[in-house]
Amino acid sequence: MKSINKIVLVIVLSITASSWLSSQDASYRIRLLAKSYQDSIVLRWNIGHVNAWNHSVSNGYKIERMELDDQSNDVVKPFTSLTDVPLMPWTESEFIDRTFPGDSMTALAYKCLYQPSEETRESGDLVKQMSMVSADQKGRFTMGLLAADLSPKAATALGVRWVDKNVELGKKYIYRVYVPTGNSHVTTDTAHFILT
């Protein structure tokens, strides 16, 4: 009887939480940095919450660029997408093909995306298991941010780094990065960066 009561309680809490979440629009910030080189511009960004990270892993990032006149700041080319489809993290097979022995940060990025903790799969107390899943997601999010900060390759693998090689010296660019919303209640802001 106690297990039936627990199941009913979890169902009621789930319905209440999902109806509350559907009425809320959670919006999360993206922080964007860029660095200019002679032949390219490297964009690197982070998202600040585990819910938004999970959303971005599923939906990818849109990266767009506007070109301005260097003298007058008039728009030469409006915002255009730099990728045909949203930039996604590497798939499991891409990680396997591109990660070499000793590449610890890229291996960590893989683990953060594709290897949840074994403890979260154990059967038993449902409430405890839900708590463990939440803690595991937060831990993988945090470690993913660390891997991306320490390794450009890991950042690329996680889909939070882009190298724009179609640039010219003396041009002024505005970049913007955002996660396509789809039908989710999770939204992100649009990060902008101006390079002159």
Side-chain angles (χ1 to χ4, degrees):
M1 188 68 172
K2 285 184 179 180
S3 63
I4 293 174
N5 288 339
K6 282 183 181 180
I7 292 171
V8 170
L9 176 63
V10 169
I11 292 171
V12 169
L13 288 174
S14 298
I15 292 170
T16 305
S18 64
S19 64
W20 179 80
L21 283 173
S22 65
S23 67
Q24 303 294 313
D25 276 337
S27 183
Y28 301 101
R29 294 189 70 180
I30 298 175
R31 300 197 186 277
L32 172 64
L33 296 173
K35 187 165 184 178
S36 176
Y37 295 92
Q38 292 283 61
D39 63 343
S40 62
I41 294 172
V42 177
L43 303 175
R44 171 74 174 86
W45 58 91
N46 266 336
I47 201 155
H49 194 276
V50 65
N51 291 346
W53 183 64
N54 288 332
H55 179 65
S56 71
V57 167
S58 301
N59 294 281
Y61 291 93
K62 294 287 286 179
I63 307 162
E64 298 175 348
R65 184 184 75 187
M66 175 188 286
E67 185 180 319
L68 303 178
D69 182 88
D70 196 35
Q71 302 300 317
S72 67
N73 287 332
D74 291 337
V75 175
V76 175
K77 291 182 184 172
F79 277 113
T80 54
S81 182
L82 297 180
T83 59
D84 294 333
V85 295
L87 181 66
M88 303 292 288
W90 290 354
T91 63
E92 289 188 72
S93 61
E94 286 175 315
F95 269 101
I96 291 166
D97 292 343
R98 299 176 184 178
T99 305
F100 55 85
D103 189 358
S104 59
M105 290 300 109
T106 309
L108 177 60
Y110 171 81
K111 182 170 175 50
C112 291
L113 284 176
Y114 297 113
Q115 291 184 339
S117 170
E118 289 293 325
E119 293 176 352
T120 61
R121 299 182 202 157
E122 291 178 2
S123 59
D125 185 354
L126 186 58
V127 175
K128 181 179 177 186
Q129 188 174 359
M130 289 171 60
S131 175
M132 290 170 68
V133 167
S134 176
D136 179 58
Q137 287 178 341
K138 288 176 184 173
R140 290 189 292 129
F141 163 65
T142 302
M143 296 308 290
L145 291 179
L146 176 65
D149 284 345
L150 295 176
S151 165
K153 184 177 177 183
T156 300
L158 289 167
V160 294
R161 181 176 183 268
W162 174 261
V163 180
D164 185 3
K165 295 184 178 178
N166 187 22
V167 296
E168 295 177 38
L169 283 174
K171 294 282 179 92
K172 187 181 287 186
Y173 300 108
I174 299 177
Y175 291 91
R176 68 182 179 191
V177 175
Y178 61 94
V179 180
T181 304
N183 295 325
S184 174
H185 63 276
V186 176
T187 59
T188 65
D189 66 355
T190 301
H192 291 83
F193 200 96
I194 301 172
L195 274 168
T196 57

